[in-house]
């Protein structure tokens, strides 16, 4: 699943040289904004700089309320207004040092070791990547196979979207607790999981891979979903259930303008920037504003070859891929939090209970904290109906037999935004709403040459 070429090592060495010569400078300002902490990052410009910074802030569990980005020429400067998860200013004094260390010469490209399930899982476990068509009971079958193969699941993250499934599972040998590195055993694990993913219908697109390499979990999930073309829609519909994406060319400036308006949520900017980066686009300027429950994102982009979007087919593809990026992480369903003593087969028992009670898993995050397994599942009725209270009670009783505590959190995973017909058209632009304010801010920081230009 990971591809290598000689140029990758050369690029990586050059990147480290640039970092040593021109390390990123990070400043933190707690005074300027009354409601948020200002984080300013500037350094030599290189491909992927924006994603790298956003990924670091996201991995620190910071909420990005506003951002102003400029990366024309050989230098880039990003300004972020951030809060903690409670919407408060940051209280830590070492924020700048932590960011500086993550972005500096000692950091890895794209911060590959900082996944949502923690560094130790990637470095002390064997990684399994799975993609294929989603169906009821699939996870139950996957975890049952791993139990039979004496593989202990120490962490996992599973996404489903548009009838597709992607998951990254971290496993260790049940007897030794060490990563599994025997080639024959790894080949058997890969083969059996591939059979499970194919099912009886020999589904196209099913893939399984094993690796001992470290990876950023959520970035890799985006890549797996994108490679599996989860953005394709056979019904011909367009538009997200909670927002709108528009793409138009700015011929006079040589950019393509991308506008995203949707319900705000944590990690939204990471998801959109990750997708643009993986699609080989470069963000030259951007304005990000999250006010109330809504988020507005405006990007001025070009392809890595320096050209703006040149065809209607490419424009539609960008729209569909960004809409998919918005939806992947926000799965519909009832949130179930389960905590119990970690043991071989625990996940297999949990997912079997879901399957026996007619529930399908739409998203999941599995973690291990010491000897405890702490798991979050989003579930829906397999028929598409709302999960009934008696079904949850049956699941709770069955979980008690496995000595697992079940906590149900009823939360709205999709908040429908009211978007007017005018806003759905191509005329909506963040620049029209916020240009005077953001341009003045960027001009004061020296990011643009005059208050009358964006580029």
């Amino acid at each position: 699943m990971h591809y290598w070429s000689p140029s990758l090592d050369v690029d990586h060495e050059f990147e480290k040289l640039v970092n040593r010569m021109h390390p990123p400078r990070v400043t933190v300002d707690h005074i300027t904004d009354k409601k948020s902490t200002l984080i300013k990052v500037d350094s030599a410009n290189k491909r992927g700089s924006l994603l790298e910074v956003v990924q670091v802030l996201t991995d620190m569990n910071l909420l990005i309320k506003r951002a102003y980005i400029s990366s024309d020429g050989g230098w880039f400067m990003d300004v972020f207004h951030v809060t903690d998860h409670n919407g408060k200013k940051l209280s830590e004094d070492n924020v700048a040092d932590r960011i500086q260390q993550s972005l500096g010469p000692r950091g890895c490209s794209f911060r590959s070791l900082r996944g949502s399930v923690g560094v130790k899982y990637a470095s002390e476990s064997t990684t399994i990547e799975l993609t294929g068509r989603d169906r009821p009971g699939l996870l139950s079958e996957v975890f049952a196979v791993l139990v039979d193969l004496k593989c202990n699941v120490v962490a996992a993250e599973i996404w489903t979207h548009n009838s597709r499934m992607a998951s990254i599972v971290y496993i260790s040998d049940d007897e030794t607790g060490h990563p599994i590195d025997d080639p024959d055993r790894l080949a058997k694990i890969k083969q059996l999981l591939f059979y499970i993913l194919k099912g009886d219908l020999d589904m196209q697109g099913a893939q399984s891979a094993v690796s001992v390499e470290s990876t950023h979990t959520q970035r890799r999930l985006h890549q797996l979903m994108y490679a599996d073309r989860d953005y394709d829609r056979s019904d011909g519909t367009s538009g997200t259930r909670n927002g709108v994406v528009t793409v138009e060319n700015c011929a006079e400036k040589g950019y393509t303008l991308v506008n995203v308006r949707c319900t705000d949520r944590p990690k939204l900017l990471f998801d959109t920037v990750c997708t643009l980066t993986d699609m080989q686009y470069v963000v030259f300027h951007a304005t990000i504003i999250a006010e109330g429950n809504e988020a507005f994102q405006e990007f001025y982009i070009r392809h890595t070859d320096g050209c703006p979007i040149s065809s209607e087919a490419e424009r539609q593809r960008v729209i569909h891929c960004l809409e998919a990026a918005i939806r992947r992480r926000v799965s519909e369903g009832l949130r179930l939090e389960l905590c119990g003593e970690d043991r071989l087969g625990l996940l297999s028992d949990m997912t079997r209970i879901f399957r026996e009670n007619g529930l399908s898993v739409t998203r999941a995050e599995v973690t291990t904290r010491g000897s405890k397994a702490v798991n979050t599942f989003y579930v829906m009725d397999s028929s598409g109906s709302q999960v009934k209270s008696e079904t949850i009670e049956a699941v709770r009783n069955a979980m008690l037999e496995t000595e697992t505590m079940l906590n149900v959190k009823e939360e709205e995973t999709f908040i429908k935004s009211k978007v007017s017909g005018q806003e759905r058209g191509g005329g909506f632009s963040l620049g029209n709403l916020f240009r005077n304010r953001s341009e003045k801010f960027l001009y004061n920081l020296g990011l643009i040459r005059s208050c009358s230009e964006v580029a």
Side-chain angles (χ1 to χ4, degrees), residues 34 49 96 134 215 442:
K34 294 181 179 180
S49 294
D134 188 32
T215 184
L442 292 172

mmCIF file of all heavy atoms in Angstrom, residues 34 49 96 134 215 442:
data_model
loop_
_atom_site.group_PDB
_atom_site.id
_atom_site.type_symbol
_atom_site.label_atom_id
_atom_site.label_comp_id
_atom_site.label_asym_id
_atom_site.label_seq_id
_atom_site.Cartn_x
_atom_site.Cartn_y
_atom_site.Cartn_z
ATOM 1 N N LYS A 34 -9.496 38.447 22.353
ATOM 2 C CA LYS A 34 -10.063 38.214 23.685
ATOM 3 C C LYS A 34 -10.590 36.792 23.861
ATOM 4 O O LYS A 34 -10.675 36.293 24.978
ATOM 5 C CB LYS A 34 -11.190 39.211 23.953
ATOM 6 C CG LYS A 34 -10.733 40.666 24.045
ATOM 7 C CD LYS A 34 -11.907 41.583 24.340
ATOM 8 C CE LYS A 34 -11.450 43.031 24.458
ATOM 9 N NZ LYS A 34 -12.598 43.945 24.745
ATOM 10 N N SER A 49 3.408 22.192 3.432
ATOM 11 C CA SER A 49 3.597 22.978 4.657
ATOM 12 C C SER A 49 2.295 23.206 5.400
ATOM 13 O O SER A 49 2.226 23.064 6.620
ATOM 14 C CB SER A 49 4.248 24.326 4.321
ATOM 15 O OG SER A 49 5.555 24.157 3.835
ATOM 16 N N ALA A 96 4.112 27.058 22.081
ATOM 17 C CA ALA A 96 5.024 27.394 20.982
ATOM 18 C C ALA A 96 6.155 26.379 20.879
ATOM 19 O O ALA A 96 6.520 25.951 19.774
ATOM 20 C CB ALA A 96 5.585 28.803 21.185
ATOM 21 N N ASP A 134 -18.794 -1.924 2.290
ATOM 22 C CA ASP A 134 -19.345 -2.121 3.627
ATOM 23 C C ASP A 134 -20.585 -3.005 3.562
ATOM 24 O O ASP A 134 -21.329 -2.983 2.570
ATOM 25 C CB ASP A 134 -19.697 -0.767 4.246
ATOM 26 C CG ASP A 134 -20.089 -0.892 5.704
ATOM 27 O OD1 ASP A 134 -19.546 -1.784 6.378
ATOM 28 O OD2 ASP A 134 -20.943 -0.104 6.155
ATOM 29 N N THR A 215 2.308 5.332 10.580
ATOM 30 C CA THR A 215 1.445 6.109 9.714
ATOM 31 C C THR A 215 0.587 7.034 10.556
ATOM 32 O O THR A 215 0.348 6.764 11.731
ATOM 33 C CB THR A 215 0.540 5.182 8.866
ATOM 34 O OG1 THR A 215 -0.222 5.974 7.953
ATOM 35 C CG2 THR A 215 -0.416 4.389 9.740
ATOM 36 N N LEU A 442 -4.345 40.618 7.000
ATOM 37 C CA LEU A 442 -3.214 40.066 6.271
ATOM 38 C C LEU A 442 -2.206 41.154 5.896
ATOM 39 O O LEU A 442 -1.002 40.946 5.925
ATOM 40 C CB LEU A 442 -3.705 39.351 5.012
ATOM 41 C CG LEU A 442 -4.520 38.076 5.236
ATOM 42 C CD1 LEU A 442 -5.092 37.586 3.925
ATOM 43 C CD2 LEU A 442 -3.672 37.001 5.874
#
